[in-house]
Amino acid sequence: MNLIKISSFPVASLFLLIPYCYIPGAFIVFMVKEKSCKSKHLQLVSGVDVRSYWISNYAFDASVFLLLTLLVMAVFMFYGSDSAEVFVGDLESFFCTMALTFGYGLSILPFAYLCSRRFNNHSSAQIAVIVSLEVAEVGPFVHGIFNSQFCFASFRELDSSRALFSSWHISL
């Protein structure tokens, strides 16, 4: 039974990573809309300091992400420590999961803000951020699963083909 929980952890983590790619896409929409309809320009011309503009946007988006983090943790607690033992099994794992989730939100917001400067259409900005985050987050995760110890047996069969690719430094 314990082996099943350990082997299902990568799948659960993967399904947790995918929705987190969509959240920054939702934050970038408002930034691009404000820029394209000149609302940001109007605020800056009216006397709003640039730093206070960005700090207030960041504070609002961080508070929304805190609310999302609390909702995710409530869902984990709703499923109980048996189903989500890796995430909320004890108090330490609960706070670690919460800190990682909220820390992700605090670090991904500046990335979304930087990406918003590149686009004038909010829908293309949203799609670009979602796709780039899926490639950046889910890609290495899936690569790590395929290179884990469970898949080494299939890679060892390729040992005879190493002579063909001697310039590639493959070590298994």
Side-chain angles (χ1 to χ4, degrees):
M1 185 67 166
N2 205 9
L3 181 63
I4 293 172
K5 288 181 183 178
I6 292 171
S7 64
S8 65
F9 169 66
V11 175
S13 299
L14 179 65
F15 286 120
L16 186 63
L17 276 177
I18 291 173
Y20 279 117
C21 296
Y22 290 90
I23 295 170
F27 289 131
I28 197 172
V29 169
F30 299 110
M31 303 305 294
V32 175
K33 276 187 179 182
E34 281 185 350
K35 185 176 79 170
S36 65
C37 74
K38 306 291 186 206
S39 172
K40 176 183 171 186
H41 178 70
L42 182 64
Q43 292 176 32
L44 295 177
V45 167
S46 297
V48 174
D49 186 32
V50 175
R51 287 180 297 229
S52 62
Y53 173 80
W54 286 109
I55 289 172
S56 63
N57 276 324
Y58 186 77
F60 176 77
D61 290 342
S63 64
V64 169
F65 208 90
L66 178 64
L67 178 66
L68 289 172
T69 300
L70 294 174
L71 289 174
V72 165
M73 297 311 292
V75 168
F76 282 153
M77 293 304 292
F78 177 73
Y79 280 109
S81 61
D82 292 338
S83 300
E85 181 179 0
V86 180
F87 301 111
V88 292
D90 56 354
L91 196 59
E92 182 181 355
S93 62
F94 174 82
F95 284 118
C96 286
T97 303
M98 187 170 163
L100 281 173
T101 305
F102 187 61
Y104 169 78
L106 294 179
S107 65
I108 205 67
L109 287 174
F111 171 74
Y113 294 161
L114 286 174
C115 289
S116 72
R117 298 179 53 85
R118 174 84 169 91
F119 295 97
N120 290 326
N121 186 357
H122 67 278
S123 59
S124 11
Q126 184 177 26
I127 291 170
V129 166
I130 289 171
V131 168
S132 66
L133 287 177
E134 283 182 1
V135 169
E137 292 174 2
V138 177
F141 183 81
V142 171
H143 177 71
I145 289 175
F146 283 124
N147 284 337
S148 68
Q149 60 187 350
F150 300 115
C151 297
F152 276 155
S154 62
F155 286 120
R156 291 196 195 285
E157 296 171 3
L158 298 174
D159 197 30
S160 61
S161 64
R162 268 194 203 168
L164 296 174
F165 305 108
S166 62
S167 64
W168 296 1
H169 299 287
I170 302 172
S171 63
L172 295 176

